[in-house]
């Protein structure tokens, strides 16, 4: 077995010259790190295709029903959506700081900023909870009980408004599921850091991978928010919206 | 039908498309046989001649040859493009019905076909048509996706809920041909078939005159007029446009401009949508006071209404009935939306306050029959 | 030294010699198998589980063929028949054809071929299998709880609003199984990019790797789209979120676009690994480098790329616009060309080779014929004018069975017979294997060729009854008789392959005298694959067909326990001894 120089300044090595964080299938740490990062990016590509299909479907419907979607969207709470956007952006910054901490081996920094991320995530979900509750209260969940009150959809066609809300709940719901998964994964990572588990302490790649995932989840929201909440008024100027 | 020892090997060729279709089909058969033979012969010959142990000349083996590669890339490509063009040409023809095609209407549902001729003759699971005359089917489904498939004519088209689809053909050979449902649609998909009867024009005329399989004693237009009155279209749509509703005389195939600035041509699709979901497109100068008939009319009803509307205001058709005089005691129409309109007949009220103060163009014609709107908007 | 054939299933100590440790016998507990991270063991897990699902799908096929012998059915109600063909499609596609070659042979052989110790993410690999088993179990549960009668294509609004079957649970199962595909794809892409041995450049990779790479790219890009499409149907059915409902203004044809966006590339997921296998078989059993290696390698990538642009050819009569149809049709003709290039290149490889006719090669040659016919019949469907008549008929059924069964399954059987000695350390009965290959070829053609005719005559697919058209019956009877022969073609290998595990002769490291890194290690390989990671200096498929050794190699028939020179530990590199 040829000796491979370790490119990561982690110091440890047993008598075979392996970093204990190196998995058996890899020849050296550099290969391992590259594989993990490439793998994570590849996974994110699959997520892009996953959400992308929904974005395309939503875009097609919005193109066909732009007036009704605009009218219906006016009932969404832009303030809450906007706060959520800021919350996620801040959480992304926290994650960047956490990854830096991992690279520098600063456990306290990692734990602090990951905790901050978790707080942001929980805030996001809480605000989401209130948003959804208000929608349910107005009978805006599609189905048999969908509202017949045109006020709640700002005089959009009720059928098309149902489709709008179908996408709204479907896509923001799927996104919220991804946030939840993120909370669990970050929690798991935090636990490993807390216990000074050598796999994360000696190798920042895991923290970086989690960071990439979180950035992606944030990015999805950055697209969702304007597409749903910040629609441009499609009505010609002489005719106002309702 | 072409038979070999009593086994059918080709479907009957009974439409204007069959000849061209079969030309493309048999061209493809020939190309398939050709390439299978080339590859098969190559594989068999090389494997046997160059089998291990057979002492033949294997010097200078070939591992690559750009010329050869490009040849067998571009020749199949070219052949492919030619066949593509043949198929596309046929397809475009199939998608372009002639203007003078005889119209027949089809509603597909689980698990049967309703066919309706414009003169009122209806049939289930059969289709009687004359030969020599182009026939255009306009189709819609009442539930799931079906497909109308006549193998002998080489035509097939999905029948979709929520939109009209069309197919056309000109039958060329009298006879009885299979009609199949071609898109899996549930339990009795395989039983949703029937027969297409292509008849000499004389025989077809006789069949039609004798009422076909089952006749409703009125044409589609007449049936449409009945529905028009029954569900109250006549209460708002008069011979002339009023503040309440535009006139429908001569509306077919005209351009309609809407309150949002967009416009559409009033074809069958638009007319159907306006009846079932009027709030999708509000004609400029009007508001959302027309109730939606979605759920109250079957697709057959809608087809009949459209036939009636198309005839309105034409020389062969009747004008809208002067129904406002008949609207005594017209019922309040509550449609499940929170808009309550009551219709009362009687005095002309010239100065009824405009219940919908949007800055749209309104005609100054006095209301024929007073219409007072009240309630939430 | 020669090994003696064992007569029991146990691997016992050889007198005076050490027991060889390999990946199979290194540990024996069930836990060590169910928690393995060894790509080879995971491949075996997949082999057993996919075989199980194949058996179920095959039973469904048998029921279908039996039922179709009479125009008015034989013993099933229509609803049951509809559930049976739906189960057949779902099981065969999602639990067999999509995973089979990649998850079994990809997993086993890919790391070996590139000189790696394992895939990049062994734990993820194990998770792939568990995702597969979970998805498959849910699908099975759906079947046992009553099944679905929507067809494997789940068109809306039938599946979202009208079907009364176990749609939701089946879709959840397929959704989960899809993630098995995605994780395998991620694993393979990263492995091929990052874990090739020193000297293993891209153009020294065996063509099987190129094919697996292209397959993995499709898995990564396509599968998430069908996952979310099926999720939308679940949304509609279970959560009442309207996405496609026509009465609310939704578009049922949008489902078709989203569904086929994956499902067309999916058929390339199914066939590309088969192409990779055929490249290996043709090269090694002609003792010659594949003709036009670069063209064949790039054609795999071309198929993967173009395959994403043709989905609308499933929708020519769906009410999509004529112009969309024209674009899809044109590109469909283009995507046929790379496959044609492969066929021609394989044929040219045979020229001036040393062709051997062992069982794997018989499957490869079989593939050449069946796939050529199947692929060419695809052109009938790419051409719009003819597709109008042929779509939704048995012509389609015949076409895809020719490419899927005649193509991919034949390649699968070839791969199974080729790598069996490597994977299990045993040789099977060669005579029976050749016979089975022949039976498969004959049975397959008898089953599916009549279906081209009956489809052309106009018989729609997914039909339980055809009493409107009893003239179709003779073709169905021919087809069903053929299906019995086909079943034998699949059943026989099960028999002699399992028998080989019990008392087949031990295989040497390289019983075929093939070239490739996987043949330089023992059969079965040790867990860590290579004692030392090889440094690759040879080109791939570096046979020299003019050499005397090549002329001699492989002319001896393999007989049970009795083939001199073929059971040496280091393969066919030694001179043959006279018997």
């Amino acid at each position: 077995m040829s000796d491979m120089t370790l490119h990561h300044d982690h110091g440890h090595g047993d008598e075979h010259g392996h970093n204990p964080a190196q998995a058996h299938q890899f020849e050296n740490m550099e290969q391992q790190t590259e594989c993990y990062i490439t793998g994570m990016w590849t996974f994110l590509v699959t997520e892009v295709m996953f959400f992308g299909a929904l974005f395309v479907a939503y875009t097609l419907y919005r193109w066909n029903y732009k007036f009704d979607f605009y009218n219906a969207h006016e009932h969404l709470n832009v303030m809450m959506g906007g706060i959520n956007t800021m919350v996620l952006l801040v959480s992304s910054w926290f994650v960047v700081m956490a990854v830096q901490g991992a690279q520098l081996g600063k456990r306290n920094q990692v734990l602090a900023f990951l905790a901050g991320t978790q707080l942001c995530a929980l805030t996001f979900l809480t605000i989401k909870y209130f948003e959804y509750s208000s929608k349910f209260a107005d009978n805006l969940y599609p189905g048999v009980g969908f509202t017949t009150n045109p006020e709640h959809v700002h005089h959009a066609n009720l059928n098309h408004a149902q489709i709008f809300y179908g996408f709204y709940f479907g896509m923001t719901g799927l996104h919220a599921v991804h946030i939840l998964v993120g909370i669990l994964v970050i929690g798991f990572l935090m636990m490993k850091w807390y216990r000074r588990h050598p796999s994360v302490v000696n190798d920042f790649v895991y923290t970086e991978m989690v960071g990439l995932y979180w950035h992606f989840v944030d990015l999805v929201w950055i697209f969702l928010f304007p597409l749903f909440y910040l629609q441009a008024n499609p009505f010609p100027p002489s005719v106002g919206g309702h | 039908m072409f038979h070999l020892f009593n086994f059918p090997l080709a479907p009957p060729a009974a439409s204007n498309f069959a000849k061209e279709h079969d030309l493309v089909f048999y061209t493809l058969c020939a190309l398939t046989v050709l390439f299978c033979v080339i590859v098969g012969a190559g594989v068999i010959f090389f494997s046997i001649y160059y089998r291990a142990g057979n002492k033949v000349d294997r010097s200078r083996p070939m591992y690559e040859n750009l010329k050869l590669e490009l040849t067998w890339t571009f020749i199949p490509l070219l052949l492919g493009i030619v066949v593509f063009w043949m198929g596309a040409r046929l397809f475009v023809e199939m998608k372009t019905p002639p203007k003078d095609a005889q119209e027949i209407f089809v509603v597909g549902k689980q698990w049967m076909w309703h066919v309706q001729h414009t003169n009122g003759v209806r049939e289930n699971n059969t289709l009687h048509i004359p030969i020599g005359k182009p026939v255009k089917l306009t189709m819609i489904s009442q539930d799931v996706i079906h497909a109308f498939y006549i193998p002998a004519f080489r035509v097939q088209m999905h029948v979709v809920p929520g939109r009209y689809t069309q197919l056309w053909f000109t039958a060329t050979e009298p006879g009885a041909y299979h009609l199949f449902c071609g898109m899996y649609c549930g339990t009795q998909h395989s039983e949703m078939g029937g027969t297409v009867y292509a008849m000499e024009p004389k025989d077809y005329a006789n069949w039609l005159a004798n009422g076909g399989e089952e006749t409703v004693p009125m044409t589609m237009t007449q049936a449409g007029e009945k529905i028009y009155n029954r569900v109250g279209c006549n209460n708002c749509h008069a011979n002339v446009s009023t503040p309440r509703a535009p006139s429908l005389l001569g509306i077919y195939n005209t351009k309609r401009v809407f309150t949002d600035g967009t416009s559409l041509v009033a074809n069958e699709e638009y007319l159907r949508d306006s009846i079932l979901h009027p709030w999708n497109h509000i004609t400029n100068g009007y508001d959302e006071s027309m109730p939606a008939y979605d759920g109250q009319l079957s697709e057959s009803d809608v087809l009949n209404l459209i036939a009636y509307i198309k005839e309105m205001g034409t020389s062969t058709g009747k004008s809208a009935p002067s129904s406002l005089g008949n609207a005594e005691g017209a019922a309040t129409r509550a449609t499940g939306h929170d808009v309550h309109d009551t219709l009362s007949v009687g005095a002309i009220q010239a100065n009824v306050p405009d219940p919908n103060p949007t800055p749209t163009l309104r005609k100054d014609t006095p209301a024929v029959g007073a219409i007072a709107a009240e309630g939430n908007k | 030294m020669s090994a003696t054939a064992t007569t029991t299933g146990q691997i016992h100590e050889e007198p005076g010699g050490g027991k060889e440790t390999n990946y199979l016998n290194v540990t024996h507990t069930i836990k060590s198998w169910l928690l393995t991270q060894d790509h080879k063991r995971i491949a075996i897990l997949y082999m057993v589980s996919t075989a199980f699902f194949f058996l179920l799908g095959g039973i469904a096929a048998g029921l279908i063929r039996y039922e179709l012998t009479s125009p008015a059915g034989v013993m099933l109600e229509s609803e049951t028949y509809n559930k049976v063909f739906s189960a057949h499609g779902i099981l065969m596609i999602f639990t067999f054809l999509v995973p089979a070659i990649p998850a079994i042979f990809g997993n086993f052989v890919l790391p070996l071929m590139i000189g790696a110790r394992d895939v990049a993410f062994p734990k993820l690999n194990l998770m792939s299998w568990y995702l597969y088993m979970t998805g498959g179990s849910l699908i099975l549960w759906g079947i046992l709880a009553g099944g679905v009668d929507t067809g494997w294509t789940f068109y809306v609004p039938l599946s979202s609003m009208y079907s009364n079957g176990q749609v939701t649970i089946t879709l959840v199962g397929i959704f989960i199984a899809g993630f098995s595909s995605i994780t395998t794809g991620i694993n393979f892409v990263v492995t091929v990019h990052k874990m090739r041995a020193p000297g293993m450049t891209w153009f020294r990779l065996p063509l099987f790797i190129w094919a697996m790479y292209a397959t993995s790219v499709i898995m990564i890009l396509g599968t998430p789209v069908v996952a979310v499409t099926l999720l939308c149907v679940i949304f509609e059915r279970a959560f009442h979120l309207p996405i496609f409902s026509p009465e609310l203004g939704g578009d049922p044809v949008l489902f078709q676009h989203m569904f086929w966006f994956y499902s067309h590339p999916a058929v390339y997921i199914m066939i590309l690994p088969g192409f990779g296998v055929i490249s290996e078989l043709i090269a090694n059993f002609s003792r010659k480098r594949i003709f036009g290696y670069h063209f064949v390698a790039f054609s795999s990538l071309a198929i993967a790329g173009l395959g994403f642009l043709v989905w609308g050819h499933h929708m020519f009569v769906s009410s999509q616009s004529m112009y969309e149809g024209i674009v899809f049709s044109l590109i469909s003709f283009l995507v046929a060309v790379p496959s044609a290039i492969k066929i021609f290149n394989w044929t040219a490889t045979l020229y001036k080779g040393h062709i051997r006719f062992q069982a794997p090669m018989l499957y490869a040659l079989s593939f050449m014929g069946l796939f050529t016919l199947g692929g060419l019949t695809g052109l009938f469907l790419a051409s719009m004018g003819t597709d109008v008549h042929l779509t939704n008929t048995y012509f389609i059924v015949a076409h895809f069975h020719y490419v899927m069964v005649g193509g991919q399954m034949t390649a699968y059987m070839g791969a199974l017979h080729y790598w069996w000695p490597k994977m299990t350390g045993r040789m099977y009965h060669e005579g029976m294997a050749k016979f089975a290959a022949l039976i498969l070829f004959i049975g397959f053609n008898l089953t599916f060729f009549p279906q081209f005719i009956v489809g052309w005559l106009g018989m729609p697919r997914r039909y339980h009854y055809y009493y409107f058209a009893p003239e179709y019956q003779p073709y169905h009877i021919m087809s069903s008789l053929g299906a019995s022969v086909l079943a034998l073609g699949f059943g026989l290998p099960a028999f002699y392959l399992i028998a080989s595990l019990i008392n087949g002769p031990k295989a040497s490291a390289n019983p075929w005298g093939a070239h490739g890194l996987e043949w330089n290690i023992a059969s079965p390989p040790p867990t860590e694959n290579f004692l030392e990671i090889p440094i690759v200096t040879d080109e791939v498929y570096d046979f020299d067909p003019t050499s005397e050794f090549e002329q001699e190699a492989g002319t001896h028939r393999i007989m049970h326990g009795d083939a001199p020179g073929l059971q040496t530990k280091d393969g066919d590199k030694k001179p043959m001894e006279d018997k």
Side-chain angles (χ1 to χ4, degrees), chain A residues 25-27 31 34-36 38-39 42-43 45-46 49-50 53-54 60-61 65 141-142 159-160 162-163 174, chain C residues 118-122 182 186 190 194-195 220-221 224 228 231-232 239-243 247-251 254 533:
Chain A
Q25 70 270 22
F26 297 116
E27 294 304 298
Q31 187 184 46
E34 278 186 38
C35 279
Y36 284 146
T38 311
T42 312
F43 169 68
V45 166
T46 71
M49 297 304 291
F50 191 72
L54 282 175
L60 286 167
Y61 275 121
Y65 298 141
Y141 189 83
N159 290 339
H160 302 164
Q162 271 202 67
I163 295 185
L174 208 53
Chain C
D118 207 314
V119 290
F121 309 119
I182 290 173
I186 293 175
V190 177
K194 296 289 179 191
M195 294 181 65
I220 287 168
L221 295 178
V228 94
L231 196 62
C232 284
F239 299 116
H240 310 294
L241 295 176
I243 311 274
E247 75 279 1
L248 293 178
D251 185 353
L254 178 64
I533 296 294

Side-chain angles (χ1 to χ4, degrees), chain C residues 427-497:
Chain C
M427 277 307 288
Y428 45 82
H429 192 287
E430 176 69 17
M432 291 190 76
K434 287 184 166 139
F435 178 67
L438 193 60
I439 294 287
L440 188 69
F441 182 80
I442 293 174
F444 174 81
N445 279 306
L446 283 178
T447 309
F448 290 105
F449 197 83
Q451 295 186 12
F452 278 126
I453 303 178
V454 84
W456 156 232
L457 289 174
M459 173 158 175
R461 58 186 289 204
R462 297 174 165 166
Y463 259 36
H464 180 207
Y465 298 133
Y466 53 96
Y467 49 73
F468 289 120
E471 67 268 23
Y472 298 155
Q473 187 176 19
Y475 298 102
H476 280 296
I477 294 183
M478 278 190 248
S479 179
S480 298
L481 286 175
S484 324
V485 180
L486 182 64
L488 190 63
F490 284 125
L492 266 178
F495 166 67
Y496 62 70
L497 288 176

Side-chain angles (χ1 to χ4, degrees), chain C residues 382-406:
Chain C
S383 154
M384 293 188 285
T386 42
D387 184 72
V388 167
H389 174 70
L390 296 171
T391 193
N392 287 320
T393 65
Y394 262 86
F395 195 94
I396 303 254
V397 175
H399 160 70
F400 66 67
H401 282 93
Y402 259 83
V403 286
M404 287 298 118
V405 182

Side-chain angles (χ1 to χ4, degrees), chain B residues 8 52 58 63 149 163 184 191, chain C residues 149 251 292 353 355 389 467 475:
Chain B
R58 292 186 175 84
Y63 296 117
Y149 177 38
R163 73 180 70 172
Y184 178 68
E191 299 180 88
Chain C
D149 65 343
D251 185 353
I355 318 298
H389 174 70
Y467 49 73
Y475 298 102

Side-chain angles (χ1 to χ4, degrees), chain C residues 210-246:
Chain C
W210 279 98
M212 287 310 313
Y213 181 79
T215 305
S216 304
V217 169
I218 305 177
M219 281 172 161
I220 287 168
L221 295 178
T223 317
V225 177
V226 79
V228 94
T229 308
L230 298 180
L231 196 62
C232 284
V233 181
I234 297 174
F235 281 168
E236 286 219 343
R237 247 184 115 85
F239 299 116
H240 310 294
L241 295 176
I243 311 274
F244 306 115
S245 314

Side-chain angles (χ1 to χ4, degrees), chain A residues 239, chain B residues 246 256-262 281-287 359-361 363:
Chain A
V239 181
Chain B
R256 311 297 294 165
V257 181
F258 306 122
T259 51
D260 54 27
T262 59
H281 304 288
I282 310 288
T283 301
N284 206 6
Y286 297 95
D287 60 29
T360 55
L361 258 179
K363 292 187 178 176

